[in-house]
Amino acid sequence: MTVATELTERESVLLDSIPTGLLIGGVWREAASGKTFDVEDPSTGQVLLTLADAGPVDGAAALDAAVAAQDEWAATAPRVRAEILRRAFDMVIARADDFALLMTLEMGKPLAEARGEVTYGAEFLRWFSEEAVRTNGRYASNPEGTARILVQKKPVGPCLLITPWNFPLAMATRKIAPAIAAGCTMVLKPANLTPLTSQLFAQVMLDAGLPAGVLNVISTTTAGEVTGPLIQDTRLRKLSFTGSTPVGRRLLADASQNVLRTSMELGGNAPFLVFEDADLDAAVDGAMAAKLRNMGEACTAANRFLVHESIAEEFATKFAAKMGAMTTGRGTDPATKVGPLIDAKSRDKVHSLVTDALADGARVVVGGAPVDGPGYFYQPTVLQGVEPGARILTEEIFGPVAPIVTFKNEDEAVALANDTEYGLVAYVFTQDYARGLRMADRIETGMMGLNAGVISNAAAPFGGVKQSGLGREGSLEGIEEYQYTQYIGFPNPHNV
């Protein structure tokens, strides 16, 4: 593996174009404290850019701007909101190479994968531009015929959006687009590990015609100090968070004080089930997609591979051969298939999960160690002989490691799949579609891929059950998260 340590001219020019301030009321400005923080390239540890570091004063100013803009934005015609989103879609697609390169620099994913995220993330802008004009209510008679029922959908009001570091564009567009479509103003707090994409995207939204104060962006290294007062402010009406379950629990407790509307997309522990009748090559291809997307740093990543005992050896051999052939390196290298993990802490956690599993009797089929040299790389890894209950089966791995557990029959497979506090997504490979539909009924999950390793789509409702969260993002359900229902009753006009 070779990793370049100097930025290319193309990379330097792109970084020089990124706003480095806080976006408050349509203006990029320094933090009130004057504090800044560095954003690093995880493949080298090199500083990419230095941004303004928001404090509580800046957070309050951002919410003030959102509140000031809310009434006028809510009264803006849906078609106007839709056209802004559509222009933003066109502008993101026109700058796809810039967005892809920026994500690769700050997050590490290979350029080809980053381009895929641009396509996926931009689609939320197009999808919700089409939904903005379809937020319909209804008009009906009451059962007694004495009155009429008028129902309308209204924007919930100012929102706090907290996004994670692993999908810098898609996690922003998945929240911002429906909020804009519904008529809500926002304060966005991106992850401080990967805020650059949000900075560029916010400028694109301004260039697309989004009025000042509708979207405010406050990057910070002291998230609790900045967002805590916002959540306690009675003017805030909604909190949308994507991140870990422990943090989500704390935010839900805080949000309960003002009974905030909440959307929580939390942790996952996705089972990947391979039955004895599965198309094995398709299952291996699906496993590669479900495991290595984003280097395994995704809540939807397959975390536990549950394979029927009759095919476990063959599956492991084929899977390990493909995993072992993956080239690790800086995402800008065309040969790279697996980029770095986000930081040293993440890499160390992944390795501790592997070493714990090995100490409990698991064996390495391929990989099993960090990659020597600069950056935070980890070898694509397959483990066999992992015992049920092992730590690696109960915690999110968030890295390119695949532990394999065997099962004897369908009931045991279901029991293993459901043996977790999480329920975001599951993957099932079988050529028996009746069995596949039984798995959808029996596995406790908000989403399921049937003979598919990647199922995310802007037109599909994304979200989980149990401790994987509340609410849905994307699809028809996505815009409803930013609306409340108002009922107006009045006498039957024919009885006047």
Side-chain angles (χ1 to χ4, degrees):
M1 182 192 73
T2 59
V3 178
T5 58
E6 298 296 328
L7 293 171
T8 66
E9 181 179 358
R10 166 92 172 86
E11 293 164 2
S12 296
V13 169
L14 174 60
L15 291 170
D16 287 344
S17 73
I18 305 302
T20 58
L22 309 172
L23 179 60
I24 299 176
V27 177
W28 293 102
R29 67 194 212 190
E30 295 182 354
S33 66
K35 291 183 178 179
T36 61
F37 69 97
D38 294 334
V39 181
E40 296 183 350
D41 179 342
S43 70
T44 64
Q46 179 181 359
V47 174
L48 295 170
L49 213 57
T50 299
L51 298 191
D53 192 351
V57 171
D58 304 302
L63 182 57
D64 288 345
V67 171
Q70 179 58 55
D71 287 348
E72 184 174 351
W73 181 239
T76 300
R79 178 64 69 193
V80 173
R81 300 198 296 263
E83 288 174 350
I84 290 172
L85 285 170
R86 181 58 196 228
R87 283 197 297 272
F89 167 80
D90 291 336
M91 294 170 75
V92 169
I93 293 301
R95 298 193 65 181
D97 288 343
D98 285 344
F99 275 102
L101 178 57
L102 191 58
M103 281 191 284
T104 293
L105 291 176
E106 68 173 340
M107 190 267 155
K109 66 184 72 185
L111 266 175
E113 194 166 341
R115 292 188 186 101
E117 182 176 340
V118 175
T119 301
Y120 172 56
E123 189 59 29
F124 288 103
L125 301 170
R126 179 160 61 177
W127 170 267
F128 285 109
S129 76
E130 296 164 345
E131 290 303 304
V133 297
R134 297 186 177 89
T135 56
N136 302 317
R138 67 180 186 272
Y139 175 70
S141 172
N142 69 1
E144 298 79 14
T146 58
R148 291 292 188 263
I149 295 170
L150 178 64
V151 177
Q152 65 175 338
K153 301 289 186 178
K154 301 178 70 175
V156 297
C159 306
L160 173 59
L161 313 178
I162 303 176
T163 54
W165 51 261
N166 54 345
F167 291 94
L169 180 63
M171 296 302 95
T173 59
R174 199 161 77 181
K175 297 180 189 300
I176 291 170
I180 289 174
C184 296
T185 60
M186 297 146 279
V187 176
L188 171 69
K189 191 217 74 67
N192 66 292
L193 290 171
T194 59
L196 303 183
T197 302
S198 292
Q199 300 284 107
L200 177 58
F201 176 65
Q203 184 58 55
V204 166
M205 292 306 310
L206 293 179
D207 295 342
L210 192 67
V214 175
L215 173 62
N216 305 276
V217 182
I218 49 170
S219 295
T220 179
T221 59
T222 54
E225 293 180 14
V226 174
T227 62
L230 302 185
I231 294 171
Q232 294 169 11
D233 194 311
T234 56
R235 299 175 301 166
L236 187 73
R237 300 299 172 83
K238 177 179 174 61
L239 168 63
S240 179
F241 170 74
T242 298
S244 72
T245 294
V247 174
R249 290 192 197 106
R250 293 196 296 271
L251 291 173
L252 280 169
D254 293 343
S256 69
Q257 298 305 306
N258 287 330
V259 196
L260 281 181
R261 285 282 296 272
T262 58
S263 299
M264 293 279 154
E265 198 273 280
L266 307 178
N269 188 7
F272 189 102
L273 284 68
V274 185
F275 286 92
E276 66 274 19
D277 65 342
D279 179 328
L280 208 55
D281 290 334
V284 169
D285 288 342
M288 292 293 293
K291 180 72 262 183
L292 286 189
R293 184 186 185 195
N294 227 47
M295 292 77 74
E297 295 174 312
C299 56
T300 55
N303 214 56
R304 301 168 291 147
F305 289 81
L306 314 179
V307 185
H308 191 272
E309 60 184 9
S310 67
I311 58 169
E313 285 297 328
E314 185 180 1
F315 175 83
T317 298
K318 290 187 173 186
F319 190 19
K322 289 205 168 189
M323 289 280 276
M326 295 292 102
T327 303
T328 60
R330 192 169 192 253
T332 53
D333 185 339
T336 293
K337 300 299 182 184
V338 180
L341 299 183
I342 191 63
D343 57 16
K345 180 181 177 182
S346 297
R347 182 186 60 186
D348 292 346
K349 181 199 171 182
V350 169
H351 191 50
S352 73
L353 291 173
V354 171
T355 54
D356 280 2
L358 296 180
D360 289 339
R363 64 184 185 279
V364 173
V365 185
V366 70
V371 178
D372 292 334
Y376 312 117
F377 296 90
Y378 201 87
Q379 297 173 351
T381 298
V382 176
L383 304 177
Q384 271 192 289
V386 180
E387 292 297 324
R391 181 174 158 231
I392 201 169
L393 301 177
T394 60
E395 298 183 21
E396 277 192 286
I397 299 170
F398 249 59
V401 177
I404 296 176
V405 178
T406 61
F407 64 85
K408 294 180 174 62
N409 53 51
E410 188 173 306
D411 287 341
E412 185 180 6
V414 170
L416 288 169
N418 288 338
D419 186 21
T420 176
E421 64 185 359
Y422 299 106
L424 183 61
V425 64
Y427 303 94
V428 174
F429 277 75
T430 176
Q431 295 188 76
D432 181 345
Y433 271 77
R435 169 184 277 160
L437 295 176
R438 287 197 301 274
M439 291 301 98
D441 287 342
R442 299 183 67 189
I443 296 177
E444 298 163 348
T445 183
M447 303 179 287
M448 193 183 91
L450 180 55
N451 295 323
V454 176
I455 60 170
S456 297
N457 190 280
F462 188 104
V465 297
K466 301 197 296 189
Q467 295 199 36
S468 285
L470 304 167
R472 292 296 182 269
E473 294 186 311
S475 190
L476 305 176
E477 292 83 355
I479 196 169
E480 293 173 357
E481 298 286 330
Y482 295 89
Q483 298 172 317
Y484 70 91
T485 300
Q486 184 182 56
Y487 152 61
I488 305 101
F490 52 92
N492 184 341
H494 298 286
N495 293 340
V496 175

